[in-house]
Amino acid sequence: VCLFGGRGLVEGDQRAVRDSSGRCLLFECRERSMHRVVTTDPCPQLNCPESEQIALSSRCCKVCRGHDFCSEGHGCMEHSDCMNLEAGDCCVCKDGFRPLRDDNAYCEGTTWL
C-alpha cells in the first residue's frame, strides 16, 4: 500500500497531478512507494465531442464517456468479471461466488446448505 495525497493506494494504482506549469505528471504505486511514470507518448486523438470527454485522476489523457477500461487489462481473477464504470473499472464476483478481498478480484464458491 502507498500513501498519496492522504489516500491509500494499492500496488499498480496510478495518480496524475499537474505541476506549476500545468504539465501532467503520472505516478504509480510500486513496492510501497510512489514512483514517477515517464511517458513520451502524446495523448491519443479522441473521436468524441469535448462535452463527452472526461478527465480522470488516474491518467494524464482524457477519455470518451463510455470508454472500455476492462479492455486495457484488469486484475479480476477466476470467478470474477470486470465491469466498466464511468471513470474506471471494478471486479464483480460471478453468481454463486463471494469475494475473498474488498476489491472482488478473488472470489470463492459458496456452499448452500
Side-chain angles (χ1 to χ4, degrees):
V1 176
C2 300
L3 218 60
F4 190 76
R7 300 191 68 182
L9 304 176
V10 297
E11 187 80 8
D13 278 356
Q14 294 185 336
R15 288 296 176 264
V17 294
R18 301 246 174 229
D19 66 11
S20 58
S21 66
R23 194 177 49 208
C24 186
L25 306 173
L26 189 62
F27 292 89
E28 181 176 61
C29 177
R30 285 194 317 260
E31 300 169 358
R32 296 190 199 135
S33 64
M34 296 302 287
H35 298 270
R36 177 140 179 239
V37 178
V38 179
T39 57
T40 56
D41 298 334
C43 289
Q45 185 74 27
L46 297 178
N47 59 355
C48 60
E50 196 165 330
S51 62
E52 290 294 306
Q53 296 175 13
I54 52 176
L56 305 172
S57 64
S58 61
R59 52 180 75 194
C60 287
C61 299
K62 291 182 178 182
V63 297
C64 291
R65 193 174 307 283
H67 181 76
D68 185 1
F69 296 99
C70 291
S71 69
E72 297 177 341
H74 55 79
C76 305
M77 301 305 189
E78 188 177 15
H79 311 302
S80 179
D81 291 324
C82 184
M83 184 173 87
N84 282 302
L85 302 173
E86 173 84 8
D89 60 31
C90 70
C91 298
V92 177
C93 291
K94 294 179 181 179
D95 286 344
F97 294 87
R98 65 183 180 93
L100 292 171
R101 297 189 334 194
D102 287 344
D103 63 4
N104 291 337
Y106 294 89
C107 304
E108 69 178 356
T110 56
T111 52
W112 304 100
L113 299 175

